[in-house]
Amino acid sequence: MELDLFREYGHRFVDWIADYYQNIESYPVLSQVGPGDIRRQLPLSPPDEGEDMERIFDDFKKIILPGVTHWQHPSFFAYFPANSSVPSLLGEMLTAALGAQCMVWQTSPSGTELEEVVTGWLRQMIGLPEGFVGVIQDTASTATLCALICARERSTDFSVNRYGFTGGEKPKRLAVYSSEHAHSSIEKGAKIAGFGREQVRLIPVDEKLRLVPEELEKSIQRDLASGITPCCVVAALGTTSSMAVDPLRPIGELCKKHGLWFHVDAAMAGSAAVLPEFRFIMDGVEYADSFVFNPHKWLFTNFDCSAYFCRDAGQLVNTFSITPEYLKTDVDMRVKNLRDWGIPLGRRFRALKLWFVLRFFGVKGIQDKLREHIRLAEEFAGWVQQDERFELVTPVSMNLVCFRYNPGKKKLSEGELERVNKALLDELNAGGGMYLTHTKLGGKYTLRMCIGQTSTGRKQVEEAWKRIRSAKLEA
Ligand SMILES: *Cc1c(COP(=O)(O)O)cnc(C)c1O
């Protein structure tokens, strides 16, 4: 290894990164390049001869950086946060340095055992009952796919794994249920796992955009009557559009009554359960078979790190385990081999950065940060309500404010409102000072202000509101 080079550039990169964070507000949040702008500056073929590190680093700054959207910018309010932190970065650096493959216990015992410990810590932090065991997956999408495959196998006595969907003695059609506001990863997972999009039921929601349990029951009954086997319900703890919280208890009771797998998708809102005053969102979680939340969204741990919890690890292992000769080890009966706990064989040592984050901030430090984000969201929502030209589209939920420009006196149609609000969004994002995204709620074009970046404070939220109010609001 070129260790001298590593020492030199390692130190310079750390300095560059510290400067980057210090000056991050001088970059436009949303990358301002157009399609093809980056590719056009890069050679079509790889270099024959090795190049100088200085030139590569220069090109990173000159060519690559302008094509980056700055997710760690404190005025990033789009989609959901993917917040990082200093302890996370330092932990990630060590993970990259070790370059360990944590596929089986023997290939890095610490990889497996630290993952057991930190997912156990997370379980306690969010109030999941004892008996749930955790494993780190790359994303919530993968975790939900794992849940759907486990549900499929439990419903069919592991016959799909064995024969495929149509090869068994009694081929079944299996249905999956979620609210019409649930995340797209459920439909994607249902397609990949072989349920078929036609067997995904999108259940209506109430005025707060929460799944209506009575509608779920009706849908289950309809499937039973037509010979389709209800298999799995995915509840959303914090929908992506509006952070709506499906009522876990009545949904869980229905799952129990009909013998359905109950998966809870708490990708972002799981973090809120770290706060005692938001623990109520977990009411009924004891009915769940599986649960996922993303420390890589709103828990200061850099992407990727998704925590998947399941009630019955045996179910998971029986669904995914394949042990070819070359993967057998002498200790297999005494340890966990996490390759059997998910889809990929190879696994990154993700537990390390999470361990750094949890130890460095402590539960109290994390609670303080989450509370501040939620307080800022409430303050922002208050400003929206006080300005008669704006309105909240739904009540503020945790760290998300759904709002829009709508001067009631002007009586704009939905079409006009969409046009004006889209123009507002485009103007704000093109300015580079902040980044917001939109959704549609009950047909209404809605702006989403999601507050969760590690370094976001009152200053940035106040500036955002100023920018929104002083935008050119024609119509
Ligand atoms: C972000 C999000 C997902 C997808 O998470 P990935 O980790 O990117 O797959 C799924 N569900 C909800 C509710 C989300 O907010």
Side-chain angles (χ1 to χ4, degrees):
M1 274 198 180
E2 288 91 348
L3 285 183
D4 289 337
L5 182 98
F6 179 72
R7 272 182 219 284
E8 185 194 336
Y9 281 90
H11 285 111
R12 280 184 53 196
F13 282 16
V14 167
D15 281 336
W16 183 87
I17 293 168
D19 289 342
Y20 168 71
Y21 281 123
Q22 195 159 15
N23 303 320
I24 195 164
E25 290 188 87
S26 64
Y27 295 87
V29 192
L30 176 65
S31 169
Q32 307 284 310
V33 305
D37 283 355
I38 303 300
R39 198 178 47 231
R40 210 173 295 124
Q41 301 176 68
L42 298 166
L44 290 173
S45 320
D48 274 333
E49 308 283 339
E51 294 187 70
D52 192 46
M53 185 59 75
E54 197 61 36
R55 281 195 59 193
I56 306 173
F57 187 32
D58 271 348
D59 284 346
F60 162 76
K61 290 180 276 189
K62 270 208 305 274
I63 302 173
I64 306 300
L65 209 53
V68 172
T69 289
H70 299 280
W71 282 70
Q72 305 311 316
H73 195 297
S75 294
F76 184 101
F77 304 110
Y79 307 101
F80 42 78
N83 62 21
S84 187
S85 63
V86 164
S88 181
L89 265 176
L90 293 172
E92 184 75 296
M93 200 155 106
L94 297 180
T95 291
L98 299 174
Q101 268 281 0
C102 305
M103 53 194 187
V104 298
W105 179 86
Q106 196 180 62
T107 60
S108 270
S110 292
T112 301
E113 296 188 12
L114 188 63
E115 191 162 325
E116 282 181 70
V117 170
V118 291
T119 54
W121 289 0
L122 281 183
R123 181 190 65 71
Q124 297 166 50
M125 284 168 65
I126 59 173
L128 263 183
E130 258 179 76
F132 278 93
V133 283
V135 57
I136 300 178
Q137 310 279 1
D138 53 4
T139 60
S141 303
T142 302
T144 293
L145 174 60
C146 287
L148 288 169
I149 296 173
C150 285
R152 182 190 81 191
E153 291 310 301
R154 195 174 76 179
S155 289
T156 59
D157 275 334
F158 294 90
S159 81
V160 178
N161 260 356
R162 184 147 185 205
Y163 302 108
F165 256 105
T166 52
E169 292 193 353
K170 285 179 292 178
K172 279 182 177 173
R173 272 162 77 196
L174 304 177
V176 178
Y177 308 81
S178 71
S179 96
E180 55 193 9
H181 281 258
H183 192 262
S184 56
S185 57
I186 297 156
E187 184 177 322
K188 197 177 193 178
K191 289 202 297 185
I192 299 169
F195 290 80
R197 193 166 45 207
E198 292 288 308
Q199 268 70 246
V200 178
R201 313 280 175 252
L202 300 181
I203 309 298
V205 293
D206 65 13
E207 74 293 346
K208 286 189 169 166
L209 309 177
R210 303 170 299 193
L211 182 145
V212 177
E214 294 72 24
E215 295 290 338
L216 172 61
E217 169 86 64
K218 278 190 220 159
S219 185
I220 292 172
Q221 295 297 352
R222 271 197 299 274
D223 280 327
L224 287 170
S226 50
I228 295 172
T229 307
C231 174
C232 178
V233 178
V234 182
L237 211 58
T239 56
T240 311
S241 273
S242 72
M243 283 291 257
V245 174
D246 290 340
L248 300 188
R249 183 167 297 283
I251 298 173
E253 281 163 2
L254 278 177
C255 288
K256 190 171 173 197
K257 176 173 146 198
H258 293 285
L260 308 193
W261 187 280
F262 185 23
H263 176 60
V264 178
D265 174 5
M268 177 156 74
S271 295
V274 176
L275 297 171
E277 63 272 32
F278 279 92
R279 187 59 64 73
F280 68 89
I281 63 175
M282 300 285 276
D283 180 57
V285 78
E286 64 272 19
Y287 287 104
D289 292 288
S290 53
F291 181 99
V292 62
F293 101 97
N294 283 346
H296 72 224
K297 274 189 170 158
W298 193 24
L299 212 75
F300 316 103
T301 307
N302 70 284
F303 188 83
D304 54 350
C305 184
S306 181
Y308 179 65
F309 294 91
C310 59
R311 217 340 130 221
D312 178 1
Q315 180 74 40
L316 189 63
V317 172
N318 285 337
T319 299
F320 289 110
S321 171
I322 285 177
T323 312
E325 192 54 37
Y326 54 83
L327 287 176
K328 289 181 183 155
T329 69
D330 293 339
V331 291
D332 284 349
M333 301 309 290
R334 285 186 285 144
V335 297
K336 286 182 184 168
N337 287 317
L338 293 178
R339 58 135 206 264
D340 293 333
W341 291 56
I343 292 166
L345 167 64
R347 312 184 74 254
R348 276 161 33 74
F349 193 176
R350 300 187 187 90
L352 198 58
K353 61 189 172 188
L354 188 53
W355 188 55
F356 271 60
V357 169
L358 299 181
R359 289 187 62 184
F360 184 79
F361 294 120
V363 178
K364 280 215 181 81
I366 288 174
Q367 287 173 333
D368 288 347
K369 289 174 183 297
L370 298 172
R371 251 186 215 118
E372 177 63 4
H373 290 154
I374 292 170
R375 198 193 62 71
L376 289 170
E378 282 162 2
E379 192 170 11
F380 182 87
W383 299 333
V384 171
Q385 281 177 301
Q386 278 161 27
D387 188 324
E388 59 191 17
R389 298 172 307 152
F390 290 87
E391 66 178 4
L392 293 182
V393 180
T394 52
V396 52
S397 178
M398 295 173 253
N399 62 340
L400 179 67
V401 186
C402 293
F403 71 104
R404 64 176 182 172
Y405 173 70
N406 184 7
K409 281 189 222 122
K410 290 197 182 167
K411 298 253 182 303
L412 300 176
S413 69
E414 278 307 323
E416 287 166 321
L417 283 171
E418 171 158 350
R419 190 176 51 75
V420 186
N421 278 282
K422 181 163 188 319
L424 168 60
L425 185 74
D426 291 345
E427 181 184 333
L428 292 168
N429 291 342
M434 64 184 286
Y435 183 20
L436 276 187
T437 48
H438 79 282
T439 188
K440 272 202 179 159
L441 297 174
K444 297 177 180 172
Y445 188 94
T446 300
L447 306 179
R448 295 169 71 266
M449 173 90 180
C450 190
I451 300 175
Q453 267 319 317
T454 310
S455 52
T456 298
R458 191 166 190 280
K459 172 172 163 274
Q460 287 82 17
V461 177
E462 221 171 1
E463 270 170 15
W465 180 234
K466 241 185 240 156
R467 286 195 170 98
I468 293 165
R469 289 177 50 169
S470 54
K472 288 193 298 293
L473 293 164
E474 29 73 59

